Amino acid sequence: MSKDKYDVIIVGAGVSGCAVAWKLARYNLDILILEKAPDVATGTTKANTAIIHAGYNADPEKQKGRLNKKGNVQIKDIVEDLSVPFEQIGSLVVGMEDDDLSVIDELLEKGKENGVEGLEIVDKEWLQKEEPHLSDKAVRALWAPTAGIITPWEFALALAENAVANGAEIMLETEVQDVYTEDGKVTGVKTNQGDFAADYVINAAGLYADDVARMVGIEKIDIHPRKGEYYIYDHAKDFEINHVLFPIPTKISKGIVCTKTVEDNLLIGPTSDFVDSKEDLATTREGLDHVFNGAKKMFPDLTLKDSIRVFAGLRAADTTEDFVIEAAEDVAGFVNVAGIQSPGLSSAPAVADLVAEILENEGLTLEEKEDIIETREEPARFYEISNEERAAYAEEDKEYGQIICRCETVSLKEIKDAINGPIPARTVNAVKRRTRAGAGRCQGGFCGPRVTQIIADELGIDTTEVRLEKDNSKIVEHKIKGLLGSQGDAE
Ligand SMILES: Cc1cc2nc3c(=O)[nH]c(=O)nc-3n(C[C@H](O)[C@H](O)[C@H](O)COP(=O)(O)OP(=O)(O)OC[C@H]3O[C@@H](n4cnc5c(N)ncnc54)[C@H](O)[C@@H]3O)c2cc1C
């Protein structure tokens, strides 16, 4: 049931919007998050390298440089409080024999200016010991022990769930189509689900932040999508990588990264190519070859044998190549959180702090609630526990004993819990993000139809209504019985 008026409306439920909601829900405020997709984290937040960067890469005078390191420190507490999968495995910028190794020293200096702790230059011997499969052409590296890896969509979901637990409201499949102003001040938004009044509107619309900014006449934000393509490997793979490994960076990209994920997959990528469309998530032969060849320079034994999927994400790059987090000059109550390209994931809590500061400067009273819920209940994660632990769960509820996704060992109960959770999963991919059903070697070949049926049963809809992700991405077009029936009628 929506309120007559909100203090703050947040447009977009990627990690930026969810972090802002998480932060603001700590105060006595009425908050509404509006997301056009059927789930949180379906934009850039779902397709990236999933690294919590240490913070040595961006220039200290840029917002990116200032916020990354702060976010890196904050995230360590948040993942504990909100039970988000995270591992502080550290990162390396690896210099090869033919590289310009002075870049490593420059990054060290930049990192020190950004206040990044523990940075160290390591030699070939260190590298060979820590990363046994690394090319013997690797001679020197910058070691950043504070970097880590995270499950990005669960990070955003956890932030949003905590915001909801603290009283924020979220409406999915609700697209902001216009922002209303009166006498130079924000008064609310128009959506496909009706109008909502608010004193403040936060534009965290990712790739579409320039379009939303234009709704109040701001022309200076100009988002150009920059694509990154990836290969992801199965857990059962030829060899392990222990840290996040970057090559020497270029001017606009950190280069082809080789890393493990929190779920122990191997991930290589991304490319960095401007594309015309904000919806162009297609992978290309050229891009993927670039990824594989780049990764092979680092790990000569790498093959594609155990790769299970390719995917692409789009960086929401503003022409300034920096975050644009600021109050609008001519429209009171409108705040942009735009141009949030990498390291947007790593910076999210620091971005949220900055937005709260901006709102306070703009006249919003931030009065902390007395009974803030700080934690989130940890969901069962069958994919990472022992058989003994699984058996104990199954004793409690026999639906834990029914394994739906065999590749990732996901039980019926976990899937039902995801569909009935605080921000319910309504699509097959939303279930995958919450449980890993369909994320394994067969990529949903076996469990996909069963997950579709479970969603239909739990939501009380027909399987022909269940979607993979957004828009009209239906999985079942017709039922054979129905087709036979209609043919029968025709005869
Ligand atoms: C290839 C690649 C690699 C990256 N690697 C890393 C990394 O390793 N570490 C790191 O820190 N960062 C990384 N990033 C950056 C990071 O992923 C992004 O900065 C972050 O996910 C941006 O989140 P966001 O919430 O700003 O945008 P998004 O996640 O895109 O969210 C914006 C949301 O707004 C919604 N929306 C848009 N218009 C409307 C509207 N009109 N009404 C309602 N809703 C709307 C969208 O549906 C979307 O859900 C990477 C990015 C890419 C592409």
Side-chain angles (χ1 to χ4, degrees):
M1 190 66 180
S2 59
K3 298 190 171 63
D4 289 342
K5 188 176 178 191
Y6 292 86
D7 295 303
V8 184
I9 284 180
I10 299 163
V11 187
V15 73
S16 305
C18 294
V20 171
W22 161 82
K23 172 79 184 174
L24 296 182
R26 307 176 72 83
Y27 304 106
N28 282 315
L29 297 171
D30 289 326
I31 298 158
L32 176 62
I33 314 160
L34 299 175
E35 168 54 56
K36 68 178 178 179
D39 194 16
V40 304
T42 65
T44 303
T45 300
K46 81 164 180 192
N48 52 62
T49 324
I51 298 163
I52 299 306
H53 294 288
Y56 53 77
N57 209 64
D59 289 333
E61 65 273 12
K62 290 200 166 187
Q63 279 193 328
K64 290 196 289 190
R66 288 196 294 273
L67 298 175
N68 183 166
K69 190 256 161 171
K70 184 179 175 205
N72 172 293
V73 174
Q74 290 173 294
I75 282 170
K76 315 285 164 69
D77 287 334
I78 296 172
V79 294
E80 286 293 317
D81 288 346
L82 302 185
S83 299
V84 179
F86 170 80
E87 278 180 50
Q88 187 172 324
I89 58 174
S91 69
L92 290 157
V93 179
V94 182
M96 301 287 182
E97 278 165 7
D98 298 335
D99 286 337
D100 175 4
L101 298 177
S102 67
V103 177
I104 292 179
D105 302 295
E106 286 165 23
L107 288 174
L108 175 66
E109 283 317 306
K110 212 190 275 181
K112 282 182 183 164
E113 270 186 75
N114 285 344
V116 179
E117 282 164 20
L119 292 175
E120 208 183 312
I121 302 224
V122 294
D123 61 12
K124 184 166 185 161
E125 201 185 333
W126 190 102
L127 288 170
Q128 295 300 330
K129 184 166 160 271
E130 290 288 323
E131 287 293 350
H133 298 279
L134 187 62
S135 161
D136 58 11
K137 293 200 167 94
V139 284
R140 196 167 181 252
L142 177 65
W143 165 235
T146 57
I149 48 176
I150 197 162
T151 313
W153 46 87
E154 184 147 355
F155 182 32
L157 178 70
L159 291 164
E161 284 188 355
N162 184 256
V164 168
N166 282 311
E169 291 172 40
I170 182 162
M171 288 181 67
L172 301 171
E173 305 202 59
T174 308
E175 178 171 16
V176 172
Q177 297 166 330
D178 206 354
V179 179
Y180 297 122
T181 58
E182 224 176 273
D183 300 329
K185 192 179 174 342
V186 158
T187 56
V189 298
K190 174 183 181 211
T191 78
N192 58 331
Q193 306 286 351
D195 291 352
F196 300 95
D199 290 328
Y200 294 86
V201 169
I202 313 294
N203 171 17
L207 289 158
Y208 294 87
D210 51 355
D211 297 336
V212 173
R214 268 194 289 279
M215 292 174 189
V216 294
I218 296 172
E219 296 290 340
K220 73 171 199 181
I221 295 168
D222 193 6
I223 304 292
H224 295 270
R226 197 162 66 229
K227 193 191 280 185
E229 300 182 36
Y230 295 89
Y231 277 105
I232 189 150
Y233 288 66
D234 192 14
H235 335 233
K237 53 194 175 293
D238 279 345
F239 59 84
E240 300 290 327
I241 291 180
N242 303 320
H243 308 96
V244 179
L245 289 108
F246 298 94
I248 299 285
T250 67
K251 269 206 166 72
I252 59 159
S253 158
K254 298 181 193 83
I256 302 301
V257 185
C258 301
T259 181
K260 67 173 195 167
T261 67
V262 177
E263 297 82 13
D264 208 26
N265 302 86
L266 174 64
L267 178 68
I268 60 171
T271 48
S272 186
D273 298 305
F274 283 107
V275 290
D276 294 331
S277 165
K278 292 178 179 181
E279 299 292 324
D280 178 359
L281 287 167
T283 52
T284 62
R285 183 68 272 153
E286 206 187 3
L288 292 172
D289 285 349
H290 179 69
V291 168
F292 183 60
N293 294 334
K296 231 173 137 61
K297 271 193 206 148
M298 198 97 82
F299 291 98
D301 297 341
L302 190 69
T303 68
L304 287 173
K305 187 165 67 73
D306 296 313
S307 72
I308 53 173
R309 196 178 181 102
V310 294
F311 67 92
L314 294 171
R315 303 166 183 86
D318 181 63
T319 37
T320 58
E321 289 294 336
D322 197 7
F323 298 165
V324 184
I325 306 165
E326 59 188 21
E329 278 168 22
D330 301 325
V331 189
F334 190 84
V335 178
N336 284 307
V337 181
I340 310 296
Q341 52 164 296
S342 188
L345 207 55
S346 318
S347 312
V351 168
D353 279 357
L354 179 57
V355 171
E357 230 175 82
I358 293 170
L359 288 172
E360 207 167 20
N361 289 339
E362 291 288 296
L364 182 66
T365 305
L366 299 183
E367 183 189 69
E368 223 172 74
K369 284 176 184 157
E370 278 171 14
D371 50 352
I372 301 164
I373 297 166
E374 302 278 1
T375 55
R376 182 181 80 121
E377 199 182 327
E378 178 154 28
R381 297 188 218 277
F382 262 41
Y383 68 86
E384 63 173 23
I385 60 176
S386 66
N387 276 342
E388 288 70 34
E389 288 168 302
R390 289 175 187 145
Y393 269 109
E395 282 287 309
E396 226 177 81
D397 187 324
K398 64 181 183 347
E399 288 187 346
Y400 279 119
Q402 285 184 53
I403 299 303
I404 303 296
C405 170
R406 289 192 224 158
C407 300
E408 299 295 288
T409 323
V410 182
S411 65
L412 174 61
K413 179 76 166 84
E414 290 169 86
I415 293 171
K416 284 193 176 179
D417 284 350
I419 300 166
N420 298 300
I423 299 179
R426 300 178 195 175
T427 64
V428 170
N429 280 355
V431 167
K432 173 160 114 177
R433 279 189 288 278
R434 285 163 181 74
T435 64
R436 289 191 63 71
R441 189 146 196 130
C442 88
Q443 288 289 298
F446 280 101
C447 69
R450 295 193 68 189
V451 170
T452 305
Q453 187 65 58
I454 297 164
I455 294 173
D457 292 347
E458 289 298 300
L459 298 183
I461 57 176
D462 196 80
T463 46
T464 54
E465 297 301 312
V466 178
R467 287 167 301 167
L468 182 68
E469 184 81 287
K470 298 180 193 178
D471 307 322
N472 195 24
S473 57
K474 294 205 178 146
I475 294 165
V476 180
E477 187 62 40
H478 298 288
K479 289 185 179 166
I480 291 174
K481 259 189 195 163
L483 281 178
L484 289 177
S486 61
Q487 275 172 11
D489 289 347
E491 278 169 4

